[in-house]
Amino acid sequence: MAVAGGGEPPFPAVDKCDASPSCRVGHTVVSDLDGTLLRSRSAFPYYALVAFEIGGVPRLALLLLLEPVASLLRRAASESAAGRVLTFTATAGARVSDVEFAARAVLPRFYAADVHPVAWRVFAACGGGGGRGRRLVVTATPRVMAEPFLRDYLGADAVAGTELTAWRGRATGMVDARRGVLVGERKAEALREMVGDGEMPDIGLGDERSDYAFMSLCKEAYLVPRDPVEAVRADKLPRPVVFHDGRLVQRPTPLAALLIAVWFPVGFLLACVRIAAGALLPMPWLRRVFGALGVRVVVRGAPPPPGADSAAGGRAGVLFACSHRTLLDAIFLSVALGRPVAAVTYSLSRLSELLSPIRTVRLTRDRATDAAVIRSMLDVGDLAICPEGTTCREPFLLRFSALFAELTDDIVPVATECRMSMFHGTTARGWKGMDPFYFFMNPFPEYTVTFLNKLPAELTCGGGGKSSHDVANHVQRLIASTLSYECTSFTRRDKYRGLAGNDGIVAAVKIAKCKLT
C-alpha cells in the first residue's frame, strides 16, 4: 500500500489486524476520525451541515467560497491552517448552544452513514475487559461537533478534538491557543494526556502522515487505505439513529452545497407558487395541478366515498388514522380523496393554519377535552388524525395513541410516505411555519397515500369489544407492514427529549417490537 507523498508506509494496512473480539477485549484502541473511522477524508460536509443549520444559505455560501482556500492551504501550508479557515467560517458568531444542537441532532445521521467498515471492526472489538480497555478518538474536527456521535453511537470512551473558544455564549470562530488544531504532534500530545505519560495504547488507527505521531505511541498501528468501500450498515452500529433534525437531506459535498445555494432562491419561489395553488384552487383540481408543478401524488388502495359509513356507524364521518411524516399528511390525504378532510393537530404555526386548504383544529393534550373535540368533528364529517403525535423521518412508526380507537369504530388506516431529495419538510427546533415551504422547495417531491381496508367491526372497541390499545397497536402494525417500517414504542416525548438533549439520547430507549394480538 502506497501513501500520499510516495514511499512505503511505516505501518501495515488495517485489514492485517486481528480484530476478533476474543483477542481484543480489554485492549485500548485510539483512532483518527476523518478517513479512518469515517470513509470520507474531507470534513467539509460536516462543517457545511453546521454552517447551514446555524446560518442558512449565506453562511453555507461563504463556506463554499472559502473551501478552495482551505484546500490550497492544506496542500501548500498546513492542515492546521485549513482547519482554522473551516472552523472560523462555520462557527464564528454562532451561539454555542446552536453548534451543540447541530452536533447532537443533525450530524449523527450523516456520520452514521459514513462509518468505515474495516476500521469500525477493529474499533468495536476493543474496549471492555472490566474497564481496562478503552475506545479513544483524536481528531482535528472540533470536539463539540464530533463527540456526541462518537460517544453516543460508536461507544467511544473519550474524544480529543480541536477546542473552540467562546465569548458570552457565542463561538468566536477561533481555536484554543494552547492546543490549536489537533494535527500531527498535537494529536500525540492529546493522546498522552488521555492515557498518561509512558502508557501505550494497544492499537492505533490512522490514514495519513499527520497521524504517524500518535500512531507511533501505540503497541500496534495500522493504516486505513484509501480504497472505496461501502459504509457500515445502520443495523450493525451499536445504536440506531432514529430521530434527527436539520433541513438537508443529502450529505453536502462541495458540489451538493453549490447546488443547494444556487437552487434555494429558485426553490423558494417555486414553493410559494405550489403553496398558493394548494390554498386557492379547488381540492378536486389539486392532484393534476400539483403534478403540473412537479409534485407527484401517488394514490394506492381504494379511497372510501364521502359519508359511506354514516348509516352503519351512526356518525357522519370516517376517521382516517394516518402515519405521520410531515405537517402536510392530512392535506395530501385530502388531495388523494379529491375533497377536503379536517385534521386535528397538536402544534401548528399560525402561518401554516392560515395557508392550509383544509380545516385544522388544535388539540390540548388533555384527554377529556381532546376526546370531545374529536367527537364533535366526527359528527359533522370525515377527520384525519396522526396517532403518533409527531413525525419521524426514518423507517419507524412511533407508538400510536389509543384515544382515536375509543371514539369511533369507523376507522380507515392510511399509510403515508413522502420522498424529498434536497430539504426535509419537518423540524423539531426550527420555525415550524417554514416546514411546508421546505417540503415544496424540493425539485420533485413525492407523496404516496395508501388507503387500507376499513377495520372490520370485530377488531374495533365498540363492535368487537377490543381494548383501545389493542386497536391502536393493530392499526400501527397494518401501516408498518404496508410501508415495510418497524413498529417502536417511542413517543413524542422521547423524540423531543432526545433531540433537545434534556433527558439523555434517543438511542438509550431500545426499539420495541409491537406485540401481536
Side-chain angles (χ1 to χ4, degrees):
M1 179 183 73
V3 294
E8 287 300 317
F11 306 107
V14 68
D15 56 9
K16 306 295 184 185
C17 178
D18 181 1
S20 57
S22 58
C23 296
R24 294 302 183 181
V25 65
H27 284 200
T28 293
V29 60
V30 55
S31 175
D32 179 38
L33 181 60
D34 297 304
T36 305
L37 269 180
L38 301 181
R39 299 176 304 160
S40 172
R41 283 172 160 74
S42 171
F44 173 84
Y46 306 108
Y47 285 102
L49 286 163
V50 173
F52 187 83
E53 291 307 316
I54 64 181
V57 170
R59 191 183 286 263
L60 177 65
L62 180 60
L63 183 71
L64 189 61
L65 287 173
L66 292 180
E67 197 278 335
V69 176
S71 296
L72 181 62
L73 287 173
R74 185 178 294 108
R75 291 175 174 81
S78 68
E79 187 179 346
S80 175
R84 289 176 186 273
V85 170
L86 294 176
T87 299
F88 182 85
T89 310
T91 65
R95 288 192 294 265
V96 174
S97 60
D98 289 342
V99 179
E100 292 172 343
F101 172 79
R104 183 175 61 250
V106 179
L107 296 185
R109 181 255 176 179
F110 294 92
Y111 276 138
D114 197 27
V115 177
H116 196 290
V118 185
W120 166 244
R121 179 172 57 87
V122 177
F123 193 79
C126 298
R132 296 192 307 275
R134 302 171 70 200
R135 298 173 183 170
L136 312 177
V137 178
V138 288
T139 175
T141 297
R143 180 187 55 80
V144 68
M145 288 171 52
E147 188 172 37
F149 170 72
L150 292 170
R151 282 185 176 274
D152 299 339
Y153 294 96
L154 295 192
D157 296 294
V159 178
T162 300
E163 295 292 340
L164 303 182
T165 61
W167 184 71
R168 293 188 175 181
R170 290 187 177 271
T172 65
M174 304 297 182
V175 302
D176 179 70
R178 182 184 70 85
R179 180 168 285 183
V181 178
L182 243 60
V183 296
E185 185 58 38
R186 293 187 185 273
K187 283 185 179 179
E189 294 172 5
L191 179 57
R192 292 189 191 99
E193 292 178 8
M194 296 169 80
V195 301
D197 247 342
E199 295 294 322
M200 296 182 68
D202 297 281
I203 300 176
L205 300 176
D207 67 286
E208 55 187 355
R209 288 183 180 277
S210 61
D211 296 329
Y212 290 179
F214 85 82
M215 295 171 69
S216 299
L217 301 178
C218 304
K219 298 175 183 177
E220 305 173 48
Y222 300 92
L223 283 169
V224 177
R226 302 195 173 191
D227 304 329
V229 291
E230 292 292 325
V232 176
R233 281 172 34 195
D235 60 354
K236 298 298 181 183
L237 295 178
R239 292 167 179 164
V241 181
V242 177
F243 299 125
H244 56 89
D245 208 40
R247 291 295 191 183
L248 298 184
V249 173
Q250 302 293 335
R251 187 168 172 268
T253 61
L255 178 58
L258 176 61
L259 292 175
I260 290 167
V262 171
W263 173 258
F264 196 89
V266 178
F268 183 75
L269 291 176
L270 180 58
C272 290
V273 172
R274 290 166 168 172
I275 290 173
L280 300 175
L281 297 178
M283 189 63 69
W285 296 7
L286 285 187
R287 187 175 176 188
R288 289 183 179 275
V289 172
F290 276 160
L293 293 173
V295 182
R296 188 180 181 210
V297 182
V298 180
V299 181
R300 295 173 179 162
D309 296 299
S310 57
R315 292 191 180 276
V318 173
L319 189 146
F320 295 97
C322 309
S323 55
H324 200 5
R325 308 315 286 176
T326 75
L327 291 176
L328 301 173
D329 293 325
I331 293 176
F332 279 98
L333 168 68
S334 298
V335 172
L337 289 168
R339 64 181 189 274
V341 174
V344 292
T345 177
Y346 286 112
S347 59
L348 195 65
S349 72
R350 294 296 182 187
L351 179 61
S352 297
E353 287 181 329
L354 179 65
L355 296 175
S356 176
I358 63 174
R359 181 189 176 197
T360 60
V361 176
R362 295 191 183 203
L363 297 180
T364 63
R365 297 195 185 278
D366 176 79
R367 191 175 181 83
T369 302
D370 292 344
V373 168
I374 294 172
R375 284 193 182 98
S376 65
M377 295 184 72
L378 283 171
D379 283 338
V380 297
D382 296 339
L383 178 65
I385 189 169
C386 297
E388 291 172 276
T390 190
T391 59
C392 180
R393 296 173 176 177
E394 296 301 307
F396 300 99
L397 288 186
L398 310 187
R399 190 177 72 194
F400 276 30
S401 168
L403 178 61
F404 75 94
E406 300 173 7
L407 306 178
T408 181
D409 287 351
D410 296 331
I411 300 171
V412 176
V414 181
T416 60
E417 188 175 20
C418 59
R419 298 186 186 278
M420 295 157 282
S421 59
M422 192 172 285
F423 303 108
H424 283 295
T426 59
T427 184
R429 193 170 185 259
W431 183 28
K432 291 184 180 295
M434 287 299 295
D435 284 2
F437 288 89
Y438 272 102
F439 175 83
F440 283 116
M441 282 168 60
N442 286 283
F444 299 102
E446 178 182 308
Y447 237 100
T448 300
V449 180
T450 304
F451 293 93
L452 306 182
N453 294 330
K454 180 193 166 192
L455 287 189
E458 61 269 20
L459 294 179
T460 62
C461 295
K466 299 288 186 181
S467 73
S468 59
H469 293 287
D470 287 342
V471 175
N473 287 343
H474 179 67
V475 172
Q476 183 195 34
R477 287 196 303 275
L478 286 175
I479 296 175
S481 176
T482 300
L483 297 173
S484 296
Y485 285 5
E486 184 175 352
C487 293
T488 77
S489 60
F490 285 127
T491 65
R492 177 183 180 276
R493 181 177 298 177
D494 295 322
K495 171 184 172 178
Y496 281 90
R497 283 182 174 177
L499 293 182
N502 297 327
D503 192 26
I505 59 169
V506 172
V509 185
K510 293 184 177 180
I511 292 178
K513 298 281 189 179
C514 294
K515 295 180 180 179
L516 295 177
T517 55

